[in-house]
Amino acid sequence: MKQITQYSFYPIAVLTSFIVLVRGMTIGPLYPWLCLSIILSFGIIMLLLEKWIPYDKEWLRGNGDRNLDLTYYIVNYLIKLLAQYLFVWPSAFLPVLNWFPVNAPIWIQVIFALTIIDFFLYIVHLLSHKYLVLWPLHAIHHSSERLYFLNGEKRHALHQILEGGPGIIVCLLIGVPQQVVVAALAVLAVNMFLQHTNFDYKAGILRRIFCVAELHRWHHRADYKDAQVNFGAWLTVWDYLFGTAYDNPKARQRLGSIGIAEERNFSKTYWKQLLYPFSKTVQKSAKTTSLIIALLWVSGLKAQSTGDALLGTWELEDGSVRIQVYNEAPYYTGKIVVQKGSTTAIGNKVLWNMRFDPKENEWNNGKIQMPDMGHPAHCSIRLKDVNTAIVTGYHGFRFLGKSRGLHRLR
């Protein structure tokens, strides 16, 4: 029974909530109350499932954070509710473009609107990790030292506006109906439960499309450099397109610590966390760190300016294989130099016909076949920094491929 629930819950939950929320749009002014009742119902269901089949039993205990996370949820839900009611007000003085397909089936309209909102959520989320002026606001979300359904909406009020505002404004400007935006935000709210839950469900192939808990847990790892992956809120397409997708099925049960390793004594009260980004200590630290990151970024660009930046010995993130990359002009080739538990594969080529594309600043148009792959796949490699490479193998569409990390040894 447990296994059936684990594998069937996600598609059933997504489909059921979407159908109810879309069909319920016909009830008019009462619709926001239907959205709230659906969200509350799913919250209760997630709470029960987390206790029954938890991903991590330690996360069930908590550390006095439930009231704090509930406060965040209420405040941020009210912000979204206010945004929904004010949605039509700016249209009185802003030029609205009739670009949105209002004659399409309503479920398609909701998907289009949600995709627009999701894209801007991804962009702001990514920028919040890259720029220290935004990170102190976003750090609130990462301060949780466990994951469960309620802390998906744990965000500083200003960051909630910064993340959601751009997508909603674009929807307004292109003529998305108010009810469609309300439905899209309700679908997203349900997915936030599913993305952060401690319920150990299995999404299967759907994790290639949707931002599920199995993927998003990697984003909450305590080490800052490990958390720079899987920024999406609803669709994984943005992570695949921008090279931030990461999944390691063999290591899903070895997630490690959650939170912010550099700041384990994060305040546990709402008001102190609300003021946290504006404290003199945080502001001073942000300016100093921004300068350091800028210098590292410039030096990183310099290191990546030629194809030879890929040369050297690399190790898969799980330590199972070491690969030496060398130049066979005009191609870059990789062969196995160490494979744990086996010596027969040493010397085998696993990367070949890779060319450096200076425009995209990546190596592509080649092939990959790691020892655990049955068939060769198309391959692209992008340097995350001078010592970390993201390798993506794919058949057909690149954004549906699988990405793995390589760490430079020398």
Side-chain angles (χ1 to χ4, degrees):
M1 184 62 181
K2 282 188 176 182
Q3 194 172 40
I4 294 174
T5 304
Q6 283 180 292
Y7 282 91
S8 64
F9 178 77
Y10 183 77
I12 291 173
V14 169
L15 191 60
T16 301
S17 61
F18 186 82
I19 291 173
V20 173
L21 288 168
V22 169
R23 287 186 174 274
M25 292 173 66
T26 58
I27 66 175
L30 294 176
Y31 184 62
W33 292 104
L34 172 65
C35 293
L36 179 59
S37 65
I38 294 297
I39 292 169
L40 287 174
S41 298
F42 267 90
I44 294 171
I45 292 171
M46 299 313 301
L47 176 64
L48 296 175
L49 288 173
E50 286 181 345
K51 291 182 178 297
W52 182 32
I53 313 175
Y55 170 83
D56 190 327
K57 291 182 180 180
E58 293 296 319
W59 291 352
L60 293 176
R61 300 177 183 178
N63 52 2
D65 57 356
R66 195 176 294 276
N67 288 338
L68 173 63
D69 293 340
L70 183 59
T71 302
Y72 271 108
Y73 201 98
I74 293 172
V75 170
N76 289 333
Y77 188 82
L78 290 174
I79 290 174
K80 285 196 287 187
L81 200 61
L82 182 62
Q84 293 167 18
Y85 279 111
L86 294 178
F87 181 79
V88 294
W89 172 66
S91 62
F93 56 87
L94 287 176
V96 176
L97 305 170
N98 296 317
W99 289 356
F100 192 75
V102 292
N103 294 321
I106 196 67
W107 64 272
I108 291 180
Q109 293 186 46
V110 173
I111 290 176
F112 278 178
L114 184 50
T115 302
I116 293 168
I117 293 170
D118 187 53
F119 171 73
F120 286 99
L121 285 173
Y122 173 88
I123 294 298
V124 176
H125 191 180
L126 181 66
L127 293 177
S128 298
H129 279 250
K130 301 300 181 184
Y131 295 99
L132 264 296
V133 67
L134 294 174
W135 171 250
L137 289 171
H138 184 56
I140 304 299
H141 182 66
H142 282 263
S143 65
S144 296
E145 296 182 356
R146 65 168 179 147
L147 292 177
Y148 69 113
F149 77 99
L150 198 55
N151 59 21
E153 292 290 347
K154 185 175 185 177
R155 292 179 181 85
H156 194 282
L158 284 179
H159 202 262
Q160 174 82 345
I161 296 170
L162 287 172
E163 277 196 310
I168 293 176
I169 291 171
V170 169
C171 285
L172 169 68
L173 294 177
I174 65 174
V176 181
Q178 182 189 29
Q179 287 289 78
V180 172
V181 172
V182 175
L185 292 176
V187 172
L188 186 62
V190 172
N191 197 70
M192 286 294 100
F193 283 157
L194 296 169
Q195 188 184 49
H196 291 81
T197 183
N198 186 27
F199 169 46
D200 190 21
Y201 68 84
K202 310 296 181 184
I205 192 64
L206 291 178
R207 71 174 183 271
R208 297 280 187 170
I209 304 171
F210 298 107
C211 300
V212 298
E214 292 170 282
L215 297 177
H216 196 68
R217 291 182 186 122
W218 296 113
H219 180 74
H220 279 269
R221 286 177 290 182
D223 194 319
Y224 181 80
K225 70 177 186 300
D226 290 337
Q228 310 311 303
V229 295
N230 300 345
F231 293 91
W234 182 51
L235 295 175
T236 61
V237 60
W238 318 122
D239 280 303
Y240 284 113
L241 285 176
F242 292 99
T244 55
Y246 175 82
D247 191 14
N248 187 356
K250 294 182 179 179
R252 280 196 194 122
Q253 300 303 324
R254 302 196 302 273
L255 188 64
S257 299
I258 295 296
I260 304 177
E262 295 79 8
E263 191 159 356
R264 283 300 187 184
N265 296 318
F266 217 93
S267 172
K268 302 295 184 184
T269 66
Y270 180 80
W271 293 110
K272 286 185 178 180
Q273 290 194 0
L274 197 66
L275 296 174
Y276 166 82
F278 312 107
S279 69
K280 291 183 179 179
T281 303
V282 170
Q283 290 296 310
K284 183 178 180 180
S285 174
K287 291 177 181 178
T288 302
T289 309
S290 294
L291 178 61
I292 295 172
I293 288 178
L295 292 172
L296 290 174
W297 184 73
V298 171
S299 64
L301 285 180
K302 183 177 180 181
Q304 296 177 46
S305 61
T306 66
D308 287 351
L310 189 63
L311 298 179
T313 303
W314 300 81
E315 184 176 68
L316 278 179
E317 56 209 356
D318 60 3
S320 61
V321 177
R322 291 184 183 179
I323 302 165
Q324 182 182 357
V325 179
Y326 54 96
N327 193 324
E328 287 185 328
Y331 303 114
Y332 290 86
T333 304
K335 66 179 181 181
I336 294 176
V337 292
V338 174
Q339 182 179 358
K340 288 187 177 179
S342 175
T343 58
T344 57
I346 293 176
N348 289 352
K349 289 184 178 181
V350 290
L351 297 169
W352 61 93
N353 292 350
M354 302 296 298
R355 284 179 177 266
F356 181 64
D357 184 345
K359 184 178 179 180
E360 297 295 333
N361 199 24
E362 68 175 19
W363 295 258
N364 52 37
N365 290 326
K367 294 280 190 173
I368 182 173
Q369 185 174 9
M370 291 294 183
D372 59 347
M373 295 173 59
H375 304 284
H378 297 290
C379 180
S380 66
I381 302 176
R382 183 181 292 268
L383 288 188
K384 188 175 178 181
D385 54 56
V386 293
N387 293 313
T388 308
I390 303 300
V391 181
T392 302
Y394 59 97
H395 298 280
F397 295 105
R398 177 170 169 175
F399 69 88
L400 292 176
K402 179 179 179 181
S403 296
R404 307 173 77 169
L406 289 174
H407 302 289
R408 187 189 296 276
L409 297 178
R410 58 181 180 272

